[in-house]
Amino acid sequence: MATERTLSIIKPDATRKNLVGRILARFEEEGLRVAALRKIWMSKRQAEGFYAVHAARPFFGELTEFMSSGPCVVLVLEGDDAVAANRRIMGATNPAEAAEGTLRKLYADSIGENAVHGSDSLENAAIEIAYFFASSELT
């Protein structure tokens, strides 16, 4: 297995519910290591920049409003097949379709407020990590 890095975001709904510690513990219990972490409150402009790939989609406005509605925890996870591992731990985007025990099944309220974000590929992980972290901040 290849050691990889991926970006994860603990979204405003999960931070409002004081789930940061539980979510971080879950990543570590599943063998991922936190290589960088920062708590931020994204501006609308930052959220629009981060989710620019979805700008033409009908949910873009709602997504960027939500992501700028409160603090998030952005983190870089590292480990064997980190992208796939993180996506397995998170579960399906729609919590109603997420597997039992996944973060979204446990903590998400809806498709829009689904507790966590994770990169969907190594290529996107590199872009997303660079959006929030300088290489000198990664341990």
Side-chain angles (χ1 to χ4, degrees):
M1 289 189 205
T3 297
E4 299 173 348
R5 285 186 170 159
T6 189
L7 185 88
S8 182
I9 301 175
I10 302 173
K11 294 181 177 183
D13 56 323
T15 62
R16 276 193 283 277
K17 293 189 269 184
N18 285 329
L19 297 171
V20 173
R22 288 184 212 173
I23 292 171
L24 289 173
R26 179 66 182 279
F27 290 140
E28 291 180 337
E29 288 164 4
E30 296 279 345
L32 295 172
R33 185 181 77 79
V34 176
L37 178 144
R38 178 181 299 130
K39 187 174 185 180
I40 64 169
W41 192 319
M42 272 191 254
S43 68
K44 181 87 152 94
R45 175 177 265 170
Q46 284 175 304
E48 288 171 345
F50 182 73
Y51 287 107
V53 67
H54 298 302
R57 314 252 334 241
F59 59 83
F60 181 72
E62 184 179 333
L63 173 62
T64 56
E65 280 293 325
F66 166 63
M67 290 302 292
S68 60
S69 72
C72 297
V73 175
V74 293
L75 57 147
V76 177
L77 298 172
E78 183 178 77
D80 290 338
D81 295 318
V83 172
N86 185 33
R87 298 203 54 88
R88 178 183 47 76
I89 295 164
M90 288 189 313
T93 302
N94 183 346
E97 297 171 2
E100 289 299 324
T102 62
L103 295 175
R104 288 179 172 151
K105 187 66 161 188
L106 293 169
Y107 304 129
D109 295 325
S110 66
I111 293 174
E113 296 190 12
N114 60 10
V116 288
H117 163 89
S119 302
D120 63 1
S121 67
L122 275 176
E123 296 77 23
N124 284 338
I127 293 165
E128 292 179 353
I129 290 168
Y131 192 83
F132 291 108
F133 297 97
S135 60
S136 62
E137 296 176 288
L138 304 175
T139 61

